[in-house]
Amino acid sequence: MGAQCVISCPPSTNFAGDEGRLGPIPAPPGQRFGAHVRLGVLTEEITPELVDEVVQHSGRTEARRRLLPARTVVYFVLALCLFSSSDSAGPPGYLSVLRTLTEKLRHLPNLAVQRLPTSSALTRARQRLGEKPLQALFERLCGPLATVRTPGAFAFGLRLVAWDGTVLDVPDTPANAAEFGFTGKDGLNQSGHPQVRLMALIECGTHAVVDAAFDSVARFSEHKLARRLLASLQPGMLLLADRNFAGHALWGLVESTGCHLAWRIKKNLVLPPLWVLPDGSYVSVMPTPAETRRQGDARYRRRPPAGLPDGHLIRIVEYTVTIHPQAGPPHTESFRLATSLLDHRHAPAHRLASAYHQRWEVENGFAELKNRLRGAGFILRSKAPELICQEIYALLTVYQALCALEMRAADHGGIDPDRISFTVTVQLARLTVAGQVAADTTTLSTAHHEAVTELLAALLRSDATGSASASRSRPRTPSRSENGTSPAHSVASTTRSESPDTHPDLQEHAKSPALLVRGTFCFPDRLPDSPLHVGSGAGAVT
């Protein structure tokens, strides 16, 4: 047997204090196990060259060669997020994750078994790295993934995206509490743990993260964080949002990007019709704050407002959704949508209602990110604010890479990405990390192909069992309705019960007298451009 060399620290480096205790003889630099760490099939998206680039751009390249170089620490932090929910008792420890990353690498040919760094050394390595490389890595990977062939990703020729906010619990340390704060007013802690407010812009067809912003839950609302995402909105997009976001200022900012909007609005907003369209929708104005006060004063004095209202020209679609829960009687909820798509021929009311149904994909994306990747009921692990930011960027990066793997599998199989199991995707990604499939490009390519094949095979096996919960051959119902009820069947209707008066200054532009449209239809869960489903069942026209 050939001679074995034992790795140790050079005379100028104290690994006992930084990266753990090793033997007495230096090993060749290229054979340190840290230089070979990868992230399984996700390395296809998060390549070593990309990691080195963001590390260098962030100024975190090490001045001396370490057992844990900056690239290794980046992959380690990503692995912490990938394996976060692997144990139901809680996120695995540092050494457990590093052992999975390096188990085969620490037995490289011609090398003795290398010891792992200590947990404190790994913490210091994270502190040296900081948040900037992970932020730059996420910014390089984020963005839409769907192509024109992706089912359900487009409506009216526009890419469907949605934004919404959520919160992430962080450890209750004095530094985290001071930096992020708690949910509650007047200093009252109503959340138990300090929290970070996360605002994400999600592609509905693939759940890919187009952009994200986060900050203190105590100081930043969803409206403030939404302004940080405006740069990622582009012409050719249709932004869906819930009723928390409707307002003159934010609407104008989004519209100025060239992106179209379809937002739910509150029932108490007074939006007088200017004229009614043949499909039952009507054109109105989202007034400025000053115009709102002027119109309110006119209503109080019982005088019609003079002149055209000042604000954004919008189109209103009113419809109802009937929920048939598995237990209990059905109930109905009214919806009001405001949209910048004014042409009822290009975007009919019933298809707008169906497209808005896809807003729930952002909630499904949060469920995947928080419950299946991070772990249901788990909190983030970092005890310092900078490491919390580093961990969140790593979590978003891993989630984006998983969505890309799902998209590749769906595109290869010619199916909707929603039909790919996110849970199975996470499991396969973890297995390939432990198997060191990214050791070389040939092995990585083979493993990636096997992962795609396994995802599609698992999908086919689920369909063959006939299980309603696992079957993906039928459109998926959202996790719950707008009011939190889990629907067994949703039926919607567009209704204009009466013809409103046309604004006197627009009589010459008014359409023909308002048509009383009353149609009831089933929500097609995917592919909003598909024809309206009308039949003899619960969704038949009445």
Side-chain angles (χ1 to χ4, degrees):
M1 179 179 294
Q4 291 183 335
C5 64
V6 181
I7 294 183
S8 72
C9 57
S12 60
T13 304
N14 181 14
F15 278 117
D18 274 352
E19 279 92 5
R21 300 181 180 276
L22 301 172
I25 302 176
Q31 292 185 335
R32 299 179 188 274
F33 72 80
H36 299 276
V37 169
R38 301 291 187 271
L39 204 62
V41 293
L42 300 187
T43 309
E44 189 85 8
E45 303 295 331
I46 311 172
T47 64
E49 295 77 15
L50 176 58
V51 174
D52 290 342
E53 181 182 338
V54 298
V55 168
Q56 183 178 7
H57 183 267
S58 305
R60 292 297 190 269
T61 304
E62 59 273 358
R64 57 177 177 169
R65 185 173 296 278
R66 299 177 179 271
L67 176 65
L68 291 175
R71 180 209 292 175
T72 304
V73 182
V74 170
Y75 278 127
F76 169 68
V77 177
L78 295 173
L80 289 177
C81 298
L82 178 60
F83 287 89
S84 179
S85 62
S86 60
D87 190 338
S88 60
Y94 278 4
L95 294 182
S96 176
V97 173
L98 187 61
R99 191 175 294 113
T100 303
L101 275 174
T102 64
E103 183 61 30
K104 292 186 177 181
L105 297 176
R106 290 184 294 118
H107 300 79
L108 292 173
N110 301 323
L111 290 178
V113 176
Q114 303 174 40
R115 292 184 181 181
L116 291 174
T118 63
S119 295
S120 59
L122 291 168
T123 299
R124 288 192 291 271
R126 288 188 61 192
Q127 292 170 341
R128 286 195 301 269
L129 183 69
E131 67 176 279
K132 295 300 182 182
L134 274 302
Q135 179 182 358
L137 184 60
F138 168 70
E139 290 173 351
R140 290 291 299 272
L141 292 179
C142 67
L145 299 174
T147 67
V148 292
R149 301 185 306 272
T150 304
F154 294 84
F156 320 114
L158 303 172
R159 186 185 301 271
L160 289 175
V161 296
W163 67 14
D164 206 352
T166 187
V167 293
L168 300 170
D169 291 338
V170 302
D172 192 358
T173 63
N176 285 343
E179 179 67 23
F180 302 117
F182 300 86
T183 299
K185 296 182 179 180
D186 302 325
L188 180 63
N189 178 5
Q190 296 180 342
S191 57
H193 288 275
Q195 291 183 325
V196 176
R197 191 183 305 280
L198 171 66
M199 183 76 184
L201 178 64
I202 300 291
E203 183 181 40
C204 297
T206 63
H207 295 181
V209 182
V210 180
D211 200 357
F214 58 88
D215 216 308
S216 165
V217 72
R219 298 190 298 271
F220 286 84
S221 65
E222 292 181 353
H223 276 246
K224 289 183 179 179
L225 292 179
R227 284 163 167 77
R228 300 185 184 178
L229 307 181
L230 292 172
S232 297
L233 297 175
Q234 301 173 359
M237 289 182 173
L238 176 59
L239 177 63
L240 312 178
D242 64 22
R243 51 193 163 189
N244 179 56
F245 293 96
H248 179 272
L250 188 57
W251 184 282
L253 291 173
V254 173
E255 204 169 27
S256 65
T257 67
C259 174
H260 281 286
L261 305 86
W263 293 3
R264 190 180 180 185
I265 57 177
K266 296 180 180 179
K267 301 176 183 178
N268 60 352
L269 291 180
V270 180
L271 300 171
L274 301 182
W275 67 82
V276 178
L277 301 174
D279 64 351
S281 61
Y282 61 91
V283 176
S284 185
V285 170
M286 182 175 290
T288 63
E291 181 65 25
T292 300
R293 291 190 294 269
R294 186 179 75 88
Q295 290 184 0
D297 183 68
R299 288 193 299 271
Y300 176 78
R301 300 176 182 276
R302 297 184 179 181
R303 297 176 181 175
L308 290 174
D310 183 20
H312 304 300
L313 196 64
I314 59 175
R315 178 172 159 225
I316 303 297
V317 178
E318 296 180 348
Y319 62 99
T320 61
V321 174
T322 300
I323 307 297
H324 296 268
Q326 296 178 353
H331 60 275
T332 300
E333 184 175 1
S334 299
F335 281 69
R336 296 176 76 197
L337 292 186
T339 180
S340 60
L341 297 172
L342 303 181
D343 188 352
H344 68 280
R345 294 161 296 188
H346 175 63
H350 69 275
R351 290 177 62 194
L352 275 169
S354 298
Y356 182 75
H357 190 50
Q358 301 306 313
R359 192 203 70 81
W360 273 104
E361 295 301 334
V362 68
E363 307 292 353
N364 291 331
F366 284 150
E368 293 171 347
L369 178 73
K370 296 173 61 176
N371 297 339
R372 294 170 179 80
L373 183 56
R374 182 201 61 179
F378 293 176
I379 65 174
L380 301 182
R381 69 171 73 229
S382 305
K383 295 179 172 57
E386 184 181 20
L387 297 186
I388 285 291
C389 296
Q390 180 193 80
E391 187 175 353
I392 293 176
Y393 281 123
L395 186 68
L396 292 170
T397 300
V398 171
Y399 179 74
Q400 181 74 355
L402 291 168
C403 289
L405 178 58
E406 285 185 311
M407 180 60 199
R408 288 175 183 263
D411 190 56
H412 181 77
I415 61 174
D416 191 327
D418 279 350
R419 309 283 74 84
I420 301 293
S421 170
F422 185 79
T423 301
V424 175
T425 306
V426 174
Q427 293 171 349
L428 288 175
R430 291 170 179 166
L431 289 173
T432 59
V433 170
Q436 295 301 332
V437 301
D440 57 74
T441 55
T442 302
T443 307
L444 176 60
S445 177
T446 302
H448 192 276
H449 177 73
E450 291 175 352
V452 168
T453 303
E454 182 63 27
L455 286 172
L456 295 175
L459 171 70
L460 295 175
R461 284 198 298 270
S462 298
D463 287 344
T465 62
S467 171
S469 60
S471 176
R472 300 290 191 176
S473 60
R474 297 181 298 275
R476 181 177 62 181
T477 303
S479 57
R480 60 189 186 276
S481 68
E482 282 283 349
N483 58 7
T485 305
S486 298
H489 189 75
S490 298
V491 180
S493 63
T494 56
T495 304
R496 287 294 300 155
S497 58
E498 59 181 357
S499 174
D501 294 333
T502 304
H503 194 282
D505 290 343
L506 293 173
Q507 289 287 355
E508 65 275 20
H509 302 292
K511 306 299 181 181
S512 56
L515 300 181
L516 306 184
V517 177
R518 183 176 181 84
T520 305
F521 53 94
C522 290
F523 263 136
D525 185 67
R526 303 297 301 167
L527 200 60
D529 285 326
S530 60
L532 178 63
H533 295 286
V534 179
S536 58
V541 173
T542 57

